[in-house]
Amino acid sequence: MNPSFYQLSAKLLRGQKVSMEEYKGKVVLVVNTASQCGLTPQFEGLEALYQKYKERGFVVLGFPCNQFAHQEPGTEDDISQVCHMNYGVTFPMFAKVDVNGENAHPVFKYLTLTLKGLFFNRIKWNFTKFLIDAEGVPVKRFAPVTKPEHLEKEIERLLSRRK
């Protein structure tokens, strides 16, 4: 039996373990990130979404990953530098994880089994996005090239349905 999203946990960049239950009742966008990718400027759009909707119960969760062309080779400090200093990221950033394969993090195993994409239960590239409703149900998967601002309509729809 698959766990629910809220039964999962992950470590933040600084090492603290966080239960996904902390995000219960919020609309969540999970993104696998990389700081040396052509799509890295999406951090700006992700942060803009977070700032625009966080007061209404929306959160972005970033998960750095080095599985795609080694575009996240750095340490937690390196990742933090790029996210916080270069892009002003204030949403939660987690420790580096694998998103594909047998060592894939449980959050990504769960999401890819629940929302299959073009590559079935594999993630194609950095900045694949998963939108989860306020009840913890994954509702939509977005391709890496989908710009964060193109998710606004879906985010609005889910926020308006929050209890």
Side-chain angles (χ1 to χ4, degrees):
M1 186 173 102
N2 269 347
S4 86
F5 180 69
Y6 297 133
Q7 291 173 310
L8 302 169
S9 62
K11 285 188 178 164
L12 292 169
L13 266 180
R14 298 288 174 224
Q16 313 90 289
K17 190 173 182 180
V18 174
S19 168
M20 295 302 120
E21 193 162 21
E22 284 196 29
Y23 306 109
K24 203 170 205 168
K26 293 184 185 241
V27 173
V28 177
L29 184 67
V30 173
V31 186
N32 66 303
T33 66
S35 47
Q36 295 179 15
C37 174
L39 299 173
T40 301
Q42 284 192 23
F43 272 125
E44 288 175 10
L46 293 168
E47 179 63 20
L49 283 178
Y50 178 58
Q51 290 301 324
K52 183 172 182 176
Y53 295 110
K54 70 179 180 179
E55 299 301 320
R56 291 180 52 199
F58 172 72
V59 67
V60 176
L61 306 180
F63 286 83
C65 176
N66 194 37
Q67 285 188 296
F68 305 101
H70 305 289
Q71 294 180 341
E72 190 61 275
T75 64
E76 268 73 20
D77 285 339
D78 296 333
I79 294 166
S80 182
Q81 176 83 21
V82 170
C83 294
H84 304 297
M85 305 302 253
N86 297 11
Y87 292 99
V89 167
T90 62
F91 57 79
M93 287 295 298
F94 289 82
K96 198 176 347 182
V97 298
D98 282 354
V99 298
N100 287 329
E102 66 181 53
N103 295 321
H105 190 278
V107 166
F108 286 91
K109 282 183 180 177
Y110 171 73
L111 290 172
T112 56
L113 283 172
T114 309
L115 293 172
K116 294 186 184 340
L118 231 42
F119 293 86
F120 303 101
N121 63 342
R122 292 186 57 77
I123 289 179
K124 175 179 164 182
W125 197 252
N126 302 310
F127 291 91
T128 297
K129 301 158 197 75
F130 295 89
L131 194 57
I132 300 162
D133 74 11
E135 283 78 52
V137 178
V139 292
K140 199 147 190 185
R141 178 176 175 158
F142 297 91
V145 295
T146 304
K147 291 187 166 124
E149 54 271 25
H150 294 151
L151 280 56
E152 284 200 57
K153 197 178 285 183
E154 283 293 324
I155 292 167
E156 286 273 1
R157 185 178 67 76
L158 293 177
L159 287 171
S160 69
R161 291 179 23 205
R162 273 179 73 220
K163 292 181 177 118

